[in-house]
Amino acid sequence: MGDGCGVGGFVATAGSLDITGPSGRQEVQCFRGQACSIRNLTGYGLKAGDRVTVVAQRCGSDEFMEGLPGTSIADTSNGVDYDFNDSALLQIPAGLFRLCWCRPETSQGISCNQSGDFFASAGLFAANGPLGYAAFTCIVNDPCNKKIYGVGLATGDKLIAVPDLGDDSCLRNSSTLSGPYGGLAGGQYNLTRLTLSPLEAILCWCPVGEPCVHRSSFGAMAARLRVECWPGSFRSRSTDDMPDVCSTCPLGSFCPGGYVDAKVYRCPPSMTTHHSGANSSEECVCQPGYLFDRSLGGCKACPSGKFKSLAGNDERCEGICPQDASRHAATGEEDCYCSACAESDNESLGGDLQAVVYTASAKLKWSEAGGDSDTQRLSSFLREVIFGFSEYDKIELEQSGKQGRRLQQQQEILMHVHTGRKDRVNDLQQLLHPNVFSILVNESSANFGLEIDMIRNFTQHTLKCEANRVFPRNHPALSLDECKCAKGYQLESTSLQCRPCAAGKYKEAVGDDLCRDCSITPSGIQLTTRNEGQTSQAACRCPAGYEIDPRGTKLCRCPVGLIEWGGCQWAHIPIGCGFLALTALTVLMCVVRRARARAFHVFQQRLESFRKDENWERLHKTKAGNKTEAAFQERIIEEVRQESMLRGVKMSYILDVFDEESQLEVDRHEWRLFSDGRVMVKEGFINRCGNEAGCALWEASDPIRAPENPDFEQMAPVIAYGDNALGKGLICPRDGEYDCSLTDALSMNQAPPKESEASSMTHRLTTANFDVIRQRIGVLRPTAASEGSEACDNAPCINTTSTTTNSTVRSLGKQRSGKANRFLSWAWRYKKNMVLQALRQHARKTNLNPEDICIWWCWFCNNQFRLLQEKVARSPAELQEVFGDTLKSVGRMWMCLDRIKDSLYTTRIWCVFELYIATTTDVPCDVIMDTESHEGTVGEIQKNVDDSILGLVKACSVDVAKAEASQPEDAVAIKKLIQENSSFTNVNRTVERQLWTMVISQAAHGAEDCSEPASAAIEPEETPSDEGNKNLSRGTSGLFRTFKRSGSKLLGSFSRSGSSSLEPTATSHSSQGA
């Protein structure tokens, strides 16, 4: 009997078996932020009391999803229609999840209250709506167009803006800032109306088809939006419930802009800015009349006799006074005067009889008023913090007649601001603007409740001193109290008048001190003066008829025939000699100064010619004669280095020339099998094991056929570095040393070294192998007809039939490279054909012209001689600096995926880090893949629903802690960098979200008919996610058909925790060794 119970042995009917439950291949959908009900569920034997819920992946194992209404369980009264037992709105993340069914069975202990009771799958549950984690930034008064990503989005969806209260909820805030805004095609929204003032807001979403009229209809968060002040402006807080505004930064201050830090920062003392609207402290320069002193790190006044008319960080005051002296911090010839004029018969007073003062007044309301000490503290605060006063400014405070209530400690104060400099008026006028003044007070650490109630603009008035009094020239005059006794005058104690110095006395300086007596000779004779009011000791002379003995021991009469007053004329001879010596020294200084200027001009021309001729070695190794020349040379070298670092390889060269020439170069080399199974050339062995051990292993290994489709790690020692590399022997523009990167080699027109140089350095190029290099890059190609020709003389010949003829040898290198406009994120273990096919397909699908695309590709752009052959170590800071600046300068990234499932990309730490930085700095990204000839892409995930869901989830998972790099030290450096700035969890979450969005887009886009390219090559490229969003249809049947057609069985669950807090600095890396 047992033998007859095979597959065909069961022929008798024993009864029937009923399987009760829902059919498993149905779809339902709800919208985020809306009430959710499930209708028309189909199945067999469904009845009242049944229950359904939604889980992330697998029924019976996962927990209830956070964000489902009520208790996360929907009940039915008829077996067909299910409602959640709460009026709450659906708040789970957007995505595709499992709908699970359960029937309570008391006898079996199944209550359907736990997630583990819901074993039966009822189909798929689509939560349509925005992803909700985006954060946008716009600038006040600038256009603001943003794109919202999500599932099931459609043209006509609407957004409103509500104040950001610090959480992700659109339901806890009842006020509305602006909206609604209707969605355009592709998920685009024009939010320009929100940029009228600085603000922080949450964008809340409502799907088309809903009323979208009441505030409660917008229950799903779509993104955060911050509207910031532009650089060079500050945030002025308004009162009376009016919105804040952004105002231009005043002169003498700088404003970084932004939102939280949109403040006004004063330049240091004696510094100002060239114009209003400065955005950085680097724009603070020395005021007119001040020069920059490197030793002090700040500004100091021009020395006497010189002036500076314009603001700037000049280290010298170039203006020279026609006279020999000038006032303190002179700004022009009007501040110059003659100090020696006092020695003539018509003595100078040594100062100015009048001065011009500019005064403004303002009424302050002060809520922290106290005694005199408080007033003094307020005066010091206003001087140092608000106005940054120099010695030319003065502030006076006086009590106003109107006092506030004492209980409120409030009073009105009149403030008078004086300045003796006309060029300071505009600066102080802006600081007295009520908005600017209020911000400076509020942002300071002092607790002053100050506001300007009324202001009277600056007026000009002239101060005149009394007789015999003057204003000192070396100090600004702001009041009549600064009038002092002139030279040759002293203050009389009784009358307080300035009287001239008596005979035999003198006074050399302006001031209220006493006159000084002329000296007494050793023989006891008192010297005297000719008149009263003398201003110099030189006026002290011998009495009439005498002269001082040169030995200073006695008085004697003047020889007969000489005048008898003031000594003999021979005493004036040394003065004449001193004048001649001073004149000669002045002429010598002028000659030296001009000689230095000519030498610097010649040095500039030499460096510019080196740069023009691409003579990088001389550019780097020319010796500078002084600090000025060294600074100029450093600037030129940095410009050349930046130009080289940002040079990319042309896409047309990669697809048309490199593909063929690289394989010829690979076939020309000898290959052997390494111990780990890798096929490598000799240089690869040496790079792995060192010179001695690598050579020994090479000799012990067996030759093997050259790989037909090598990866880039295999090709690197053949083309990127090593004795036969394109850049071997060429001077690197980045450091002036031999051996350069591929992009530099493709762009250079350097001649080979001279015979004398080549004989002393055997590793440099000869004329013959230089032509070989030009032949490799497509400049010189020997033809079949030229082989064996006597004219060739065993040297490479020019292919006259080629489009690259001899006349273009000097310029063709420039056509192979250019300023990079795409950044390629990839892995070194990628096969050459796979990467090139991905580039070709992307160019074809997006209608890009390869001649217009220059790719920053680390394999070509980094100097592999330094990184791989010479093993130059790089710190985390250096890696971060190179990468950040390069990626931001390029402006767009291509993420090259080898496959979706089991992708090598997500295991390489460089790839993960590059995508993370691009995502968090808003650099646009595009996925490029070889979708036509490679397995593991869209077609590989079309097997069944469960496999596609789990496969996509697994494909999007990232573990940066386990990610590797070809150079282990790079992996250690990047992980250290991540841990110092954020955490592995934040990086994993951010990259997984971006991968999820891009994989959905690629899966949907990959199944479309690409036979009809776009109508024009419009940049930037159309993002595949636009089509992906279109294919995520809202229809119940349409959703499933979309997944079947595109091969994308989508399932997603994102953590509702906030986005990563790591903010990448303006730094970068080379993407080396991904």
Side-chain angles (χ1 to χ4, degrees), residues 187-357:
Q188 293 284 347
Y189 288 84
N190 186 348
L191 306 175
T192 305
R193 279 190 294 160
L194 276 170
T195 64
L196 299 178
S197 61
L199 56 84
E200 286 184 319
I202 290 179
L203 300 180
C204 299
W205 175 82
C206 178
V208 63
E210 296 293 329
C212 298
V213 175
H214 300 292
R215 169 69 182 79
S216 58
S217 300
F218 296 82
M221 174 180 168
R224 271 192 167 88
L225 175 68
R226 173 180 285 180
V227 180
E228 299 182 344
C229 292
W230 65 90
S233 67
F234 63 93
R235 180 181 170 198
S236 180
R237 302 182 185 275
S238 302
T239 57
D240 300 329
D241 297 327
M242 297 297 292
D244 296 348
V245 296
C246 294
S247 303
T248 301
C249 200
L251 192 71
S253 306
F254 61 92
C255 305
Y259 185 79
V260 177
D261 295 328
K263 306 173 183 177
V264 179
Y265 297 90
R266 295 287 298 140
C267 288
S270 304
M271 302 190 82
T272 185
T273 55
H274 287 294
H275 51 76
S276 57
N279 59 45
S280 169
S281 60
E282 297 179 357
E283 296 190 56
C284 292
V285 296
C286 295
Q287 294 176 355
Y290 288 82
L291 58 85
F292 185 77
D293 189 329
R294 290 184 179 273
S295 62
L296 298 177
C299 304
K300 68 177 183 180
C302 291
S304 180
K306 294 189 176 183
F307 61 86
K308 186 163 79 79
S309 303
L310 302 176
N313 283 340
D314 305 81
E315 296 186 19
R316 292 185 298 177
C317 297
E318 299 293 345
I320 300 177
C321 288
Q323 298 88 355
D324 64 338
S326 62
R327 296 178 177 85
H328 182 77
T331 62
E333 291 188 5
E334 64 274 9
D335 291 330
C336 300
Y337 66 93
C338 176
S339 63
C341 296
E343 298 180 3
S344 66
D345 290 338
N346 299 321
E347 292 88 0
S348 171
L349 296 175
D352 299 317
L353 293 175
Q354 62 183 29
V356 178
V357 179

Side-chain angles (χ1 to χ4, degrees), residues 716-734:
V718 176
I719 300 173
Y721 70 93
D723 293 338
N724 297 292
L726 297 185
K728 183 64 178 178
L730 297 180
I731 303 298
C732 177
R734 305 173 194 180

